[in-house]
Amino acid sequence: MASQRTVRLSLKKPTHAVCVVGVETSVDVRSDVPRGAETFRVSGSPGVHIFILYDPTRVTVPADRTQWPLDPNVDLTVAVETASKALDDLKVKVSYFRRSEDRVLGQSVLHLTGVDVSLDVDMARKGKAKRSQGDKKTWHWGPAGYGAILLVNCDRDSPRSRRPDLDNSQLTSLEDLKDMSPMVLTCDGPDKLFDSHKLVLSVPFSDSKRVGVFCARGGNSLSHYRQVLGPQHLSYEVERQPGEQKINFYVEGLTFPSADFPGLVSLSVSLVDMGTLPEVPIFTDTVAFRMAPWIMTPNTQPPLELYVCSVIDPHGSNEKFLKDMSDLVSKANCKLVICPWVENRNDRWIQDEMEFGYVEAPHKSFPVVFDSPRDRGLKEFAYKRILGPDFGYVTQEIPFAGASGLDSFGNLDVSPPVTVGGKEYPLGRILIGSSFPKSGGRRMAKVVRDFLKAQQVQAPVELYSDWLSVGHVDEFLTFVPTSDQKGFRLLLASPSACLKLFQEKKAEGHGKALQFDGLEQQVKRSINELLADRILQSDSVFVQKCIDWNREVLKRELGLTERDIVDIPQLFYLRGPHAEAFFPDMVNMVVLGKYLGIPKPYGPVINGRCCLEEKVRALLEPLGLHCIFIDDYLSYHKLLGEIHCGTNVRRQPFSFKWWHMVP
């Protein structure tokens, strides 16, 4: 809001002023007074509020509180309670006197015209723009917070459009209005007032590329909605019609928070007096918005859709895998979406290509796919096939250099909600793999890391994954939902647990049982041979140290205890400086509610059952989970990937509202 204006009175002629409803105007009663005047008395029309402001330590209050001294410590302000019906229909009269005398020495008259100007948004976060008297220029987090929210308009509501809605300066679908936040301009007052005054809507230059505003003029035609603010329009002279009291606007976000954009934007309306040179605003009302962040969903959220690819590789078609996935989704009661070969170009690693999340405001929520900078055979899939009505799209382009393996989104995960040292993370924390603590090595691109951090609501944690050949966090960790009070467990791959299991089986007399039993294409090795393999033992010690380093980081950054962690038996071997899974990586599973699709490990078969499968069942099924082991050895393990890498799950958003948290 503009600073308080001051109106100077004159004894010679009436003074005229415009007074905005609810805004006090200071009246200078000392600039032009009769000779000998020492006190003043003020009166006003009904509908005019008169306030005498004084310093009680320096001013003696008159007994009748009507005749006040002309003292620098006494000030007069006035305010109007409603908009005027005609120009100058309100009046304030100031009469001047000598002290203790009733004879009027002179009078000044102030004619007021009341005008109601207010820019209002959904400050209360109820889904509708309502009149507010609070501080509209600031935005506050938390359950008692306030401030309006914008969705980045990154979906594509019109089938005729080829680009996301935020790229269009013209409305292409009335449905698009539902993605925008409402804003209402109140502009009530005498029509003649607007012959000499105008209303100007404006956006700061720094925000103009981040927000778009459409003016609504009623009707069901797209032509009734025109963009008036945005990248090409910094200000808009409001086209008020005679008698018009309210004008509706719709506001869209154009960009997500980023390293150089904290997410806050503002819009202002000014009442400008055109009778002065230069033209000056006599009142300004400003509202603030925060851009809704992109939010990831953890494995603990219920599944909605499972995405997989239909491919043909040197081992043939993956029809059996697709059938297994179809059976799995039928158990989990979600939908299967198959990306055909013609669209994936034989790129099966759909988890690496994209990550599903969502955006939410009080009036609307929709899913948004984050397209990784990986850009292989699936690079067009998210944009061409997923982007659509109420399904948004976002990506981050890496300047100059190309993407590394750690930019694939198998290297991106998110924890369930956690509390760490009393601080709550009700939407969990994002996990990304890195070369840290090793100097040098591979890292996820800075532009992607900065984007994730800038969303503010899922504070990222960097883990050490560069010890792996592929280098993704999903190769050694995952989260599963549980039916107990904790609600989840962290699963970590564990060479130590695997070797311990094999030692137990050897002690039980099963040392001759064979790893890879049942696989014709793989050299079979007995438990005895594996335990005697010094290289494998040495590799296991190295890998366990790498995982244990991450274990401590995860315990510290997610507030976990050892009771929250389950060690899944898994062996790795070193190929050069990096590790690869020795048998299909069971941690690299797909989680669909209580149903887990786990790569079949082809472990030693004892009494007709795989001892690795039996161990995992014993660890997880008491937690209310169902372990379904899927044979993906030829088509996946031989290509250095497992079930999680070849699937992608869209999940139900959190019920918790992100704006209720305190980052």
Side-chain angles (χ1 to χ4, degrees):
M1 187 173 292
S3 58
Q4 192 178 82
R5 292 193 308 130
T6 299
V7 175
R8 290 181 172 82
L9 298 181
S10 172
L11 294 169
K12 298 176 183 178
K13 60 180 180 179
T15 302
H16 301 265
V18 173
C19 197
V20 176
V21 172
V23 178
E24 293 183 14
T25 298
S26 177
V27 180
D28 185 352
V29 296
R30 295 184 294 273
S31 59
D32 188 9
V33 299
R35 179 176 298 178
E38 297 174 292
T39 64
F40 71 96
R41 183 180 297 166
V42 59
S43 61
S45 305
V48 177
H49 297 285
I50 296 171
F51 306 96
I52 301 294
L53 309 177
Y54 60 93
D55 183 347
T57 64
R58 299 185 179 185
V59 176
T60 301
V61 179
D64 58 2
R65 303 183 71 90
T66 59
Q67 198 159 309
W68 293 85
L70 285 167
D71 187 289
N73 297 298
V74 177
D75 293 306
L76 168 65
T77 64
V78 298
V80 300
E81 60 184 27
T82 59
S84 295
K85 301 299 182 183
L87 291 176
D88 298 333
D89 64 350
L90 300 172
K91 184 167 68 173
V92 174
K93 182 171 69 174
V94 178
S95 303
Y96 296 95
F97 306 87
R98 286 191 176 89
R99 193 177 301 274
S100 302
E101 290 187 10
D102 291 333
R103 184 169 64 88
V104 177
L105 299 180
Q107 289 183 331
S108 296
V109 177
L110 172 62
H111 292 287
L112 296 175
T113 301
V115 58
D116 192 5
V117 176
S118 182
L119 196 61
D120 292 290
V121 292
D122 181 21
M123 278 191 65
R125 302 168 185 168
K126 301 294 185 182
K128 295 182 179 180
K130 288 189 176 182
R131 188 70 177 259
S132 173
Q133 299 299 325
D135 181 6
K136 295 182 278 189
K137 293 191 294 184
T138 60
W139 199 97
H140 289 273
W141 296 85
Y146 56 86
I149 294 167
L150 287 182
L151 293 176
V152 177
N153 196 8
C154 58
D155 67 339
R156 182 171 59 200
D157 285 311
S158 173
R160 298 188 302 275
S161 178
R162 295 184 177 181
R163 303 179 65 82
D165 292 335
L166 57 83
D167 286 342
N168 299 318
S169 59
Q170 295 180 338
L171 204 66
T172 59
S173 168
L174 292 178
E175 287 296 308
D176 196 22
L177 297 173
K178 297 178 182 178
D179 301 335
M180 304 184 193
S181 296
M183 183 172 71
V184 177
L185 171 61
T186 300
C187 50
D188 189 13
D191 290 339
K192 287 188 177 180
L193 174 71
F194 293 97
D195 292 340
S196 58
H197 294 74
K198 63 183 178 181
L199 292 165
V200 178
L201 197 67
S202 61
V203 57
F205 175 77
S206 60
D207 292 343
S208 61
K209 62 183 179 181
R210 297 165 177 152
V211 65
V213 179
F214 286 80
C215 181
R217 281 306 184 185
N220 294 319
S221 171
L222 295 178
S223 62
H224 292 136
Y225 300 87
R226 179 165 63 93
Q227 190 181 80
V228 295
L229 292 181
Q232 307 301 321
H233 309 283
L234 298 182
S235 65
Y236 164 63
E237 185 174 332
V238 178
E239 298 171 1
R240 180 187 181 274
Q241 303 301 317
E244 196 165 29
Q245 297 180 1
K246 293 185 183 296
I247 302 175
N248 292 316
F249 295 88
Y250 292 89
V251 188
E252 64 176 348
L254 302 182
T255 182
F256 282 94
S258 61
D260 59 353
F261 171 45
L264 286 171
V265 295
S266 64
L267 298 172
S268 299
V269 67
S270 296
L271 179 65
V272 178
D273 185 352
M274 297 185 293
T276 62
L277 288 176
E279 297 177 352
V280 294
I282 61 175
F283 170 77
T284 298
D285 202 12
T286 300
V287 294
F289 293 89
R290 179 173 288 280
M291 216 69 72
W294 180 78
I295 301 172
M296 282 182 68
T297 48
N299 286 351
T300 48
Q301 291 300 106
L304 299 174
E305 295 178 317
L306 175 68
Y307 285 71
V308 296
C309 290
S310 172
V311 298
I312 300 175
D313 58 36
H315 305 289
S317 168
N318 67 338
E319 288 183 7
K320 182 182 182 302
F321 174 75
L322 299 179
K323 174 63 168 58
D324 290 338
M325 291 297 103
S326 178
D327 293 342
L328 186 62
V329 299
S330 66
K331 289 181 173 65
N333 194 29
C334 63
K335 179 183 177 182
L336 180 66
V337 179
I338 298 176
C339 172
W341 181 89
V342 69
E343 293 177 7
N344 63 53
R345 302 176 187 177
N346 235 30
D347 178 6
R348 70 175 74 231
W349 311 125
I350 197 166
Q351 176 63 47
D352 287 338
E353 185 58 39
M354 60 191 190
E355 184 66 53
F356 288 110
Y358 69 97
V359 292
E360 183 175 25
H363 66 282
K364 182 75 178 284
S365 176
F366 57 80
V368 175
V369 60
F370 185 8
D371 193 359
S372 84
R374 168 180 177 266
D375 289 347
R376 285 165 60 180
L378 278 160
K379 67 178 181 179
E380 303 291 340
F381 177 68
Y383 191 85
K384 290 187 175 180
R385 294 304 302 270
I386 296 180
L387 171 63
D390 286 341
F391 212 129
Y393 172 93
V394 64
T395 191
Q396 296 292 306
E397 296 183 359
I398 301 176
F400 312 119
S404 77
L406 269 63
D407 295 316
S408 297
F409 284 171
N411 195 34
L412 176 63
D413 209 328
V414 64
S415 79
V418 293
T419 300
V420 185
K423 180 174 177 55
E424 294 183 354
Y425 295 90
L427 303 176
R429 299 191 70 178
I430 285 173
L431 307 174
I432 57 177
S434 177
S435 59
F436 182 77
K438 185 177 66 176
S439 61
R442 298 168 293 175
R443 293 188 76 187
M444 183 176 283
K446 185 176 185 300
V447 66
V448 178
R449 287 184 283 118
D450 287 348
F451 173 84
L452 296 169
K453 182 179 179 181
Q455 307 313 302
Q456 297 190 62
V457 295
Q458 294 176 302
V461 177
E462 284 199 51
L463 300 174
Y464 178 37
S465 66
D466 196 31
W467 56 274
L468 288 152
S469 290
V470 176
H472 295 175
V473 294
D474 67 355
E475 297 177 78
F476 67 89
L477 70 80
T478 194
F479 294 90
V480 294
T482 59
S483 54
D484 57 7
Q485 184 176 2
K486 182 66 179 181
F488 72 90
R489 292 292 188 278
L490 166 64
L491 308 188
L492 288 179
S494 175
S496 294
C498 188
L499 293 175
K500 180 181 178 182
L501 175 64
F502 286 174
Q503 287 166 351
E504 291 173 353
K505 297 306 175 184
K506 177 181 179 179
E508 294 170 3
H510 303 296
K512 294 182 179 180
L514 299 176
Q515 181 73 42
F516 305 123
D517 193 9
L519 278 178
E520 296 180 1
Q521 304 85 355
Q522 182 67 35
V523 176
K524 299 165 183 61
R525 302 184 69 185
S526 69
I527 290 178
N528 289 336
E529 290 174 321
L530 293 174
L531 292 176
D533 188 333
R534 293 184 178 180
I535 295 177
L536 184 60
Q537 295 281 334
S538 174
D539 291 352
S540 296
V541 170
F542 168 79
V543 168
Q544 190 64 59
K545 287 182 178 179
C546 295
I547 294 174
D548 285 345
W549 190 92
N550 287 294
R551 185 191 202 93
E552 295 307 311
V553 173
L554 289 162
K555 287 165 62 177
R556 181 177 66 250
E557 298 296 337
L558 301 183
L560 304 180
T561 67
E562 284 297 324
R563 293 189 302 273
D564 305 322
I565 301 172
V566 178
D567 289 310
I568 301 298
Q570 184 66 47
L571 288 182
F572 296 83
Y573 68 96
L574 292 180
R575 178 175 290 181
H578 296 109
E580 296 179 4
F582 181 69
F583 53 80
D585 190 344
M586 291 187 288
V587 171
N588 202 292
M589 62 180 69
V590 60
V591 180
L592 301 180
K594 62 183 179 180
Y595 295 96
L596 311 180
I598 306 173
K600 185 175 180 62
Y602 281 97
V605 176
I606 300 172
N607 298 325
R609 310 189 71 146
C610 171
C611 66
L612 288 170
E613 292 184 19
E614 289 298 289
K615 181 62 176 178
V616 171
R617 290 185 193 278
L619 291 169
L620 301 182
E621 291 188 348
L623 300 173
L625 300 166
H626 297 273
C627 300
I628 301 168
F629 290 90
I630 297 171
D631 179 5
D632 71 342
Y633 188 85
L634 284 180
S635 59
Y636 279 72
H637 185 64
K638 282 294 187 180
L639 298 174
L640 301 181
E642 287 76 31
I643 290 176
H644 183 258
C645 303
T647 60
N648 208 315
V649 184
R650 182 170 75 87
R651 302 183 184 276
Q652 186 173 302
F654 288 99
S655 59
F656 180 86
K657 306 305 179 186
W658 62 266
W659 51 88
H660 287 165
M661 71 178 291
V662 179

